[in-house]
Amino acid sequence: MSDAPAVVAEPRELCVDIISDELEFMRIREKWEELVECAAVTPFQTFTWCFLWWNYFGNNPERKLHILLFRYGDRVVGIGPLFLESETWFGLRVFRRARFLGCDVAKSPVSCVYHQYPLTDYLDFVVSPDFEHDVARCFVKFLQNNPLLYDQVDLVNVPCRSFIWRNVLPELVASGFAHRIDRADECPQIVLPSTMEAYLASLHSSHRRRLRQAMRLLDEEGEVTIEKASTAEQMERMLGELVRLHQLRWNKAGYPGLFFDKRFEMFQRDVLKEFLSRGWVWLKTVQVAGKVVAVRLGFAFKGVLYDYVGGFDHQARESKGRPGLALLCSMIDDAIREKFSVVDLLRGGEQYKHELATKLSRNWNLFIENPMTRRTMRDRAVRAVNLFQNMYQTIARENLVLSVLLREYGSKRMLPRYAGMLASRMASRLHLPSMSPLSTFLREKSLDFVRLIEGKLRMRPLIGRMSQSLRRDKELPFSRKLFKALIYVRSLLLSRIYLRRCTRVGKRCRTRGKPFIVNDGQIIIGDDFNLNSRIVQSELATGHRGVIEIGHEVTINFGALISAQEHVRIGNRVRIGPYSIITDSDFHTIGDRYSPPTGVPTIIEDGVWLGARVTVLKGSRIKEGAVIAAGSVVSGEIPPHVIAAGVPARVVRQTHSSANRRTDIRPSNSIPSDIVTRVSKVFVETFALRETPELSATPRHILRWDSLGHLNLILRLESEFGIAIAEDDVMMIGSVRDACLVVVKSTNGHSGVDMSVVGTERFGYGKKE
């Protein structure tokens, strides 16, 4: 044997160009595709995938293209598909990181919802095989020579066989560059033998039996048909079915699904158009009796078949035959017949992947840190901000999951489902099988905890209020929902401090702003009390013998004054407007203002509404369901269920009896169906609703139905039907059914319709819980 030393290739000097403009990005398409032909990459590093990803998800004021082009002379030998993402405080950039095109990014802040998009399973550089060491050396040298360009480089979802892992990581270690490695997702793979029978023989007997049962579905003749996409029209139709089935299954499971944002569907459509023309798309459907029950999408690229996404109708009777698994068997069979080497199941540790895989790989996350910005105060501050951002994104994701569960299962079944999901996540983090004893124990204990909250702690009213608020605010952006939730929690906590001088305070009381409270007697407050002092302080004051008794679900607006020298009693569900005064005395004795005032009990019964600047004098009694107009002075007794106004307040008109109030109103004659259809259409157009409202819908159920929205509704109804609605009837419209009855009355007279049932929620406009 020869003792001559091994020949070491001389390092070749490369030049690095930075692509920071979309026009330059488009100009390098031809060179990019030439490099992809010879490089060991996946379809997620192709020009089409990266360019479309940037157009749909990456383009943002805080992000900038930063594609590295490695050249050896005039030849492009490597491409680093990166972009720069900046974090700014008060308009100043404090942190900048370089990331892969195709990585998980937060959704555009236009919709104020943060959600991570796991679109790309494998991320890597595109490098010519004979220049890998030179490109890796040049990349590390570029990072060392340009420390001001970045604070950190995040290279995530990097597979073990990638250029980053095999070449860049050793260079970082050799150069002593600061870096950190984290474990990412598992990536099961099927290394294909020569025949399908050989593959089945390599599996466990139970898994093999399950696959054979699924394959029998494909062998059935007659009703079961399999269709493969070969034209653009077939691809469009099958993609639509994939979106429908995928969302149906994951929404029922309580998750938003990949296609909850339309941008992901549009991104996939544009990618598939380009990939289909190159023969890289594997897309099949299973139809039973003409109905699509399963769809599966994959990419055939460089001898590997990538199983990307699928969907099946889990509610259909045919799902017992496992049509989704049958399509996966068809994918494996096609890969074997077409001499593919591997079927890659991509990221995820699902049970079926581990049952079918013959090889288990893993992705890694590599974080390269700039030594100039490490261990500085700014770096620590940025890490703290990132921690809070991660918490915010976690809350946003859980809010999205809860909204899906609320929509699919309602408020009663939502919490047990969510508890089961949390238990499954905990079991997966502990690497437990889904049916293991510990996993079952965690799921049962979580359900017991939910029952404890709902039962023993008596949280049903609060849970019901939360679910009602979620339904009411479903069209608001997430940032607004979070702000309202924080205000709600703050008002709950501060109420215990601000109302501490009261004798007794009920549950779930809220205060906004600090009220002024003088309690020399007794102040008794019921449940769900809401006191607003945010603009002007509200006051509650009692003398030495005075008692203020406030019932449940009472709301008092800012600037209100309630004073008791004897007894002031306020019933349940009373609404008190701003700057109102309720007293049982004259504050002094006539002729001797220094003597203690004498009080006469003042009583306000259930369901009363006081407008702004209403004064209720001593000895007054406002009976159930009465409404006092703004600026009125009440002295004496007001009958039940009337509208009173003036100084002193006098009855203006009668209202209906509370006994007649009901949600489901059934007049003597049914409303014509064409009237219902046209009125519902007016509601949809006026309040920009996504779906037709129910007849029982009131301002509590329709977000924009406030006083201005009510005026727009009246104008649109008059324009639609060519009628003039009387002033009295304007105030009677409190639901969709009321609007239909008023239209019938205005067009044909009463027509036998009992108008006494109109106005079930006439004074509910803009009411906030």
Side-chain angles (χ1 to χ4, degrees):
M1 296 180 62
S2 174
D3 295 333
V7 178
V8 180
E10 290 291 333
R12 291 169 284 193
E13 292 295 328
L14 304 181
C15 298
V16 181
D17 297 334
I18 299 177
I19 304 298
S20 58
D21 184 73
E22 287 191 11
L23 292 177
E24 296 178 356
F25 192 2
M26 295 179 65
R27 292 193 186 107
I28 64 171
R29 173 169 186 165
E30 184 177 350
K31 296 180 179 179
W32 191 311
E33 292 180 346
E34 289 177 358
L35 196 58
V36 166
E37 289 294 328
C38 64
V41 294
T42 67
F44 310 115
Q45 282 79 57
T46 59
F47 176 86
T48 300
W49 188 278
C50 294
F51 184 76
L52 290 175
W53 180 92
W54 176 256
N55 284 340
Y56 280 105
F57 302 102
N59 207 342
N60 187 281
E62 297 180 353
R63 304 185 189 109
K64 181 181 179 181
L65 279 172
H66 192 74
I67 301 174
L68 302 181
L69 228 62
F70 299 91
R71 290 188 297 103
Y72 183 66
D74 294 335
R75 178 186 173 189
V76 176
V77 297
I79 297 176
L82 303 174
F83 69 93
L84 295 179
E85 186 174 52
S86 301
E87 293 186 10
T88 58
W89 294 354
F90 308 106
L92 299 176
R93 180 176 66 84
V94 297
F95 194 79
R96 175 182 285 180
R97 59 168 55 90
R99 307 181 68 194
F100 270 128
L101 292 176
C103 67
D104 299 347
V105 296
K107 186 175 178 179
S108 172
V110 174
S111 63
C112 300
V113 175
Y114 281 81
H115 181 75
Q116 299 296 320
Y117 289 87
L119 305 182
T120 309
D121 290 77
Y122 298 136
L123 296 169
D124 197 9
F125 280 20
V126 184
V127 182
S128 176
D130 51 342
F131 280 86
E132 288 187 348
H133 295 292
D134 301 298
V135 171
R137 192 180 302 111
C138 182
F139 175 61
V140 174
K141 185 178 180 181
F142 174 80
L143 296 181
Q144 292 174 333
N145 296 337
N146 297 273
L148 299 180
L149 280 178
Y150 69 98
D151 296 297
Q152 183 172 295
V153 180
D154 297 353
L155 305 178
V156 299
N157 287 338
V158 174
C160 296
R161 59 186 181 277
S162 65
F163 162 78
I164 296 293
W165 188 261
R166 290 184 292 105
N167 297 277
V168 174
L169 183 58
E171 286 292 333
L172 291 173
V173 174
S175 62
F177 219 99
H179 63 280
R180 176 169 54 90
I181 302 173
D182 290 341
R183 294 162 62 99
D185 298 315
E186 297 177 345
C187 303
Q189 297 176 347
I190 302 174
V191 180
L192 298 174
S194 57
T195 63
M196 187 67 176
E197 289 299 326
Y199 167 68
L200 293 175
S202 65
L203 299 178
H204 189 273
S205 58
S206 61
H207 304 159
R208 181 168 58 249
R209 181 174 62 255
R210 192 176 298 113
L211 280 185
R212 291 190 185 278
Q213 290 175 354
M215 293 170 63
R216 291 194 194 101
L217 179 67
L218 305 180
D219 296 334
E220 293 182 4
E221 297 181 357
E223 292 187 349
V224 179
T225 58
I226 298 179
E227 184 180 9
K228 185 176 182 179
S230 56
T231 64
E233 292 78 10
Q234 290 177 327
M235 184 270 295
E236 288 278 352
R237 176 170 49 82
M238 292 184 183
L239 180 61
E241 293 292 338
L242 173 62
V243 172
R244 180 182 67 83
L245 294 177
H246 181 88
Q247 292 300 108
L248 177 66
R249 179 192 173 198
W250 286 105
N251 288 167
K252 284 295 182 184
Y255 295 96
L258 285 176
F259 297 95
F260 84 100
D261 184 4
K262 288 296 181 183
R263 292 187 302 172
F264 181 64
E265 181 181 351
M266 294 187 291
F267 167 75
Q268 287 297 325
R269 181 173 285 107
D270 289 346
V271 167
L272 291 181
K273 286 179 182 177
E274 183 71 22
F275 280 15
L276 186 67
S277 63
R278 296 171 177 249
W280 295 346
V281 175
W282 190 97
L283 180 59
K284 280 188 177 183
T285 63
V286 173
Q287 300 182 18
V288 179
K291 177 185 177 182
V292 177
V293 296
V295 187
R296 205 164 198 98
L297 169 63
F299 302 124
F301 187 78
K302 286 183 174 289
V304 179
L305 197 52
Y306 298 89
D307 177 33
Y308 187 62
V309 66
F312 65 92
D313 190 353
H314 65 288
Q315 297 177 336
R317 179 178 55 85
E318 297 80 5
S319 62
K320 295 181 180 179
R322 299 187 180 91
L325 188 59
L327 279 181
L328 184 55
C329 293
S330 177
M331 176 183 288
I332 297 171
D333 189 45
D334 289 349
I336 291 175
R337 286 190 287 103
E338 296 179 18
K339 306 301 181 182
F340 283 88
S341 59
V342 174
V343 172
D344 197 325
L345 303 179
L346 299 180
R347 292 187 303 165
E350 291 88 341
Q351 184 176 356
Y352 80 91
K353 291 185 178 181
H354 286 279
E355 293 176 353
L356 302 180
T358 59
K359 177 183 177 182
L360 186 62
S361 181
R362 179 177 291 280
N363 282 356
W364 298 87
N365 298 332
L366 175 62
F367 302 98
I368 307 173
E369 299 180 0
N370 189 335
M372 292 183 61
T373 58
R374 289 187 71 208
R375 303 184 186 90
T376 63
M377 290 298 296
R378 185 185 70 169
D379 187 46
R380 294 174 183 174
V382 169
R383 289 179 184 275
V385 171
N386 289 339
L387 177 62
F388 282 107
Q389 286 183 347
N390 292 335
M391 292 173 59
Y392 181 81
Q393 293 177 9
T394 301
I395 294 172
R397 286 193 292 271
E398 296 307 311
N399 172 73
L400 192 60
V401 170
L402 286 172
S403 62
V404 172
L405 287 172
L406 180 64
R407 184 185 65 203
E408 295 293 333
Y409 296 100
S411 58
K412 292 184 179 180
R413 295 190 295 162
M414 176 182 69
L415 283 178
R417 285 273 178 178
Y418 185 63
M421 292 170 61
L422 292 179
S424 298
R425 291 185 204 170
M426 188 179 298
S428 64
R429 289 189 179 184
L430 296 174
H431 304 288
L432 300 173
S434 60
M435 297 304 292
S436 67
L438 183 55
S439 176
T440 305
F441 172 78
L442 290 174
R443 187 178 295 107
E444 291 177 353
K445 288 301 179 183
S446 61
L447 293 178
D448 292 341
F449 179 70
V450 171
R451 297 187 188 100
L452 177 67
I453 291 178
E454 291 185 342
K456 294 185 179 180
L457 297 184
R458 301 184 183 277
M459 296 287 284
R460 289 182 184 273
L462 182 58
I463 294 172
R465 188 179 294 273
M466 291 170 59
S467 62
Q468 182 180 1
S469 299
L470 287 174
R471 286 193 298 269
R472 183 190 65 209
D473 298 337
K474 62 182 179 181
E475 297 182 1
L476 292 181
F478 175 72
S479 61
R480 182 61 182 165
K481 290 181 183 177
L482 181 62
F483 178 75
K484 292 183 68 175
L486 292 176
I487 292 296
Y488 181 81
V489 173
R490 180 189 177 203
S491 63
L492 283 174
L493 297 177
L494 291 180
S495 66
R496 296 299 171 181
I497 300 175
Y498 292 156
L499 300 178
R500 66 187 184 278
R501 297 183 183 275
C502 298
T503 308
R504 187 170 70 244
V505 179
K507 301 176 182 178
R508 300 178 299 278
C509 292
R510 294 175 289 156
T511 56
R512 294 197 65 183
K514 184 178 180 180
F516 182 77
I517 297 178
V518 177
N519 186 17
D520 294 332
Q522 294 186 44
I523 300 178
I524 302 171
I525 298 175
D527 299 339
D528 299 302
F529 174 65
N530 186 8
L531 178 60
N532 187 0
S533 299
R534 188 164 175 261
I535 301 175
V536 179
Q537 270 192 324
S538 295
E539 300 181 30
L540 302 178
T542 58
H544 293 289
R545 296 182 301 172
V547 177
I548 295 178
E549 185 180 352
I550 300 175
H552 305 305
E553 300 181 21
V554 174
T555 298
I556 301 177
N557 222 320
F558 56 85
L561 167 62
I562 302 177
S563 173
Q565 297 298 327
E566 186 69 30
H567 191 188
V568 172
R569 182 165 67 84
I570 300 174
N572 302 324
R573 302 179 304 281
V574 174
R575 302 291 183 263
I576 300 175
Y579 303 108
S580 296
I581 299 175
I582 303 173
T583 180
D584 66 347
S585 68
D586 296 323
F587 297 103
H588 59 82
T589 302
I590 298 176
D592 185 4
R593 65 182 61 188
Y594 298 105
S595 62
T598 58
V600 180
T602 300
I603 298 175
I604 300 175
E605 297 184 359
D606 297 346
V608 172
W609 183 18
L610 304 184
R613 300 184 184 275
V614 170
T615 301
V616 182
L617 300 179
K618 68 176 183 178
S620 300
R621 185 185 185 99
I622 305 176
K623 294 193 174 181
E624 181 180 2
V627 178
I628 311 300
S632 302
V633 176
V634 179
S635 176
E637 183 174 309
I638 302 297
H641 306 295
V642 297
I643 301 175
V647 181
R650 294 291 183 263
V651 175
V652 176
R653 67 167 64 97
Q654 295 285 335
T655 66
H656 62 284
S657 173
S658 62
N660 291 332
R661 295 192 180 199
R662 55 187 181 274
T663 304
D664 186 18
I665 308 168
R666 298 184 182 276
S668 55
N669 288 357
S670 60
I671 307 170
S673 59
D674 60 329
I675 296 292
V676 175
T677 303
R678 294 171 65 184
V679 170
S680 300
K681 178 183 177 183
V682 169
F683 270 85
V684 170
E685 295 174 351
T686 303
F687 302 114
L689 303 179
R690 295 183 178 179
E691 53 188 26
T692 303
E694 298 179 358
L695 288 179
S696 59
T698 66
R700 294 185 179 182
H701 308 103
I702 298 176
L703 180 64
R704 298 181 179 88
W705 194 352
D706 50 16
S707 56
L708 181 59
H710 191 74
L711 177 60
N712 291 332
L713 174 65
I714 298 302
L715 295 177
R716 284 181 177 266
L717 286 174
E718 291 180 341
S719 176
E720 172 71 20
F721 293 94
I723 58 177
I725 300 177
E727 182 179 354
D728 291 344
D729 293 338
V730 169
M731 295 297 296
M732 302 297 286
I733 298 178
S735 66
V736 179
R737 185 184 294 274
D738 293 347
C740 296
L741 293 175
V742 168
V743 168
V744 171
K745 174 188 175 184
S746 302
T747 53
N748 301 321
H750 285 283
S751 301
V753 176
D754 182 9
M755 295 302 294
S756 66
V757 299
V758 182
T760 58
E761 294 286 346
R762 74 179 64 173
F763 299 111
Y765 309 123
K767 187 180 297 182
K768 300 297 182 185
E769 295 296 335

